[in-house]
Amino acid sequence: MRLGRPARAAIIGLALTLGAVACSTGGSTTASAPPSASAGGGLEKTKLKIATLPAIDSAAIYVAIDQKLFEQEGLEVTPQVVQAAPEAIPMLLNGEIDAMFGNYVSMFQAHDKGSLKLRILAEGSRAAPDSLSIMALPNSPIKTPKDLEGKTINVNVLHNFQELALAQVLKANNVDPATIKYVAVTFQNIMPSWQGGQIDAAYLGEPLVTAATSSMGARKILDPASGPAAEFPISGYVSTQEWYDKNAKTAAAFQRAIHNAAKLMENNREVVAKVLPNFTQIDAATAATVTFPYFSSNDNPVRLQRVADWMLEAKWLSKGIDVKSLMSPTTSG
């Protein structure tokens, strides 16, 4: 089956994350920012370079720029786009950037190995119902979650957040996660691999879920963001502990701007759609309809601790991580 133009555009638009999930669409197109602290005074540093991904999950930083929320805090923030979070870690350690946006699994792994002494500045995105989907083609014998046992499923990177969340949901559905074979498949190759039989079921996020449903008649088998993985934290903004110790006031100002951006985004879909074409390959027409992630307007150590605990359970960490000890004090309202 050939993919139509919307489906091909959706593959491009998926960018580098499966974190695109639903958010509310209410509110007007004119957004007013929540109150923030007085800009300027006492910041250790006012110009910041932040590594980001060309993905919907990174939208908060671009909304904060567009809505002048960083400016209100006395900051000038320059995003520096990388293709995957692990790329940014050496840049962070070398001082080429001040902070980075990326998935927690990669960053906790680096922290565990001792290559990165981590400080979490602000939470970023969380999964929500129907944000992700394990899907089967119309003629596939896979009908229920149990049918996934022994099957091959794609992931972007092995041993990362996709597997971590899905393992918990599989167990909740009486499926043995150990029977699943994962293969790393780049986003542009998911559809050919799926249709060619190299994978039995596809692990998709928006906008691919919608594209696969409408263009291919694909069926949803399981929601990896459901049950125990509901609101699974996917990504956030981090610096090194050393940078934070030298720039605590700057870090607090950055956090306030990100949180205030998320507050705007909760009720103003348009502020997100407006910025997406600036840093993703999602055009304005697609941006108007694609589903978004939950963007975090506050930080929750209990919610985030799940990631580290599940990583330890999967033996992806050598020892437990006390996530709360890595998090910055919340200065937002």
Side-chain angles (χ1 to χ4, degrees), residues 62-288:
Y62 293 91
V63 170
I65 293 170
D66 183 67
Q67 298 292 317
K68 301 187 184 306
L69 301 179
F70 288 129
E71 186 177 316
Q72 291 174 23
E73 296 289 348
L75 295 174
E76 180 183 330
V77 173
T78 302
Q80 189 162 334
V81 176
V82 297
Q83 296 305 302
E87 283 182 39
I89 293 175
M91 298 165 63
L92 193 66
L93 295 173
N94 293 335
E96 298 172 45
I97 55 175
D98 296 283
M100 61 174 281
F101 178 85
N103 75 79
Y104 295 113
V105 173
S106 292
M107 294 185 290
F108 286 167
Q109 286 171 333
H111 181 83
D112 179 62
K113 292 174 183 175
S115 56
L116 172 64
K117 192 170 183 182
L118 187 66
R119 185 70 177 198
I120 300 169
L121 302 181
E123 286 194 56
S125 63
R126 311 188 312 278
D130 300 319
S131 63
L132 307 169
S133 187
I134 304 299
M135 305 194 78
L137 292 170
N139 59 351
S140 170
I142 300 173
K143 307 293 184 184
T144 69
K146 193 70 174 175
D147 295 332
L148 292 170
E149 289 189 341
K151 301 300 190 292
T152 300
I153 298 176
N154 65 288
V155 291
N156 183 35
V157 179
L158 294 173
H159 301 312
N160 215 285
F161 81 89
Q162 290 174 273
E163 287 181 55
L164 193 67
L166 182 57
Q168 300 297 324
V169 178
L170 288 170
K171 288 189 288 186
N173 283 270
N174 195 33
V175 179
D176 182 1
T179 66
I180 306 297
K181 180 182 178 182
Y182 293 102
V183 293
V185 180
T186 59
F187 289 117
Q188 62 266 34
N189 289 324
I190 293 175
M191 297 305 194
S193 296
W194 194 12
Q195 292 174 306
Q198 285 80 40
I199 57 176
D200 300 306
Y203 198 145
L204 303 179
E206 286 287 23
L208 280 186
V209 173
T210 298
T213 302
S214 61
S215 299
M216 303 168 66
R219 296 176 286 105
K220 179 178 178 178
I221 302 300
L222 189 63
D223 183 351
S226 63
E231 294 201 39
F232 181 71
I234 295 173
S235 52
Y237 301 86
V238 307
S239 70
T240 64
Q241 181 64 48
E242 181 182 10
W243 184 93
Y244 177 83
D245 289 341
K246 295 176 181 177
N247 300 282
K249 292 180 181 178
T250 298
F254 177 83
Q255 182 196 74
R256 283 193 295 270
I258 291 294
H259 284 175
N260 285 339
K263 289 172 186 175
L264 292 181
M265 295 156 77
E266 286 172 358
N267 296 306
N268 293 275
R269 177 187 175 88
E270 293 84 356
V271 301
V272 185
K274 178 184 176 183
V275 301
L276 287 185
N278 297 339
F279 66 99
T280 72
Q281 295 187 52
I282 298 175
D283 60 27
T286 305

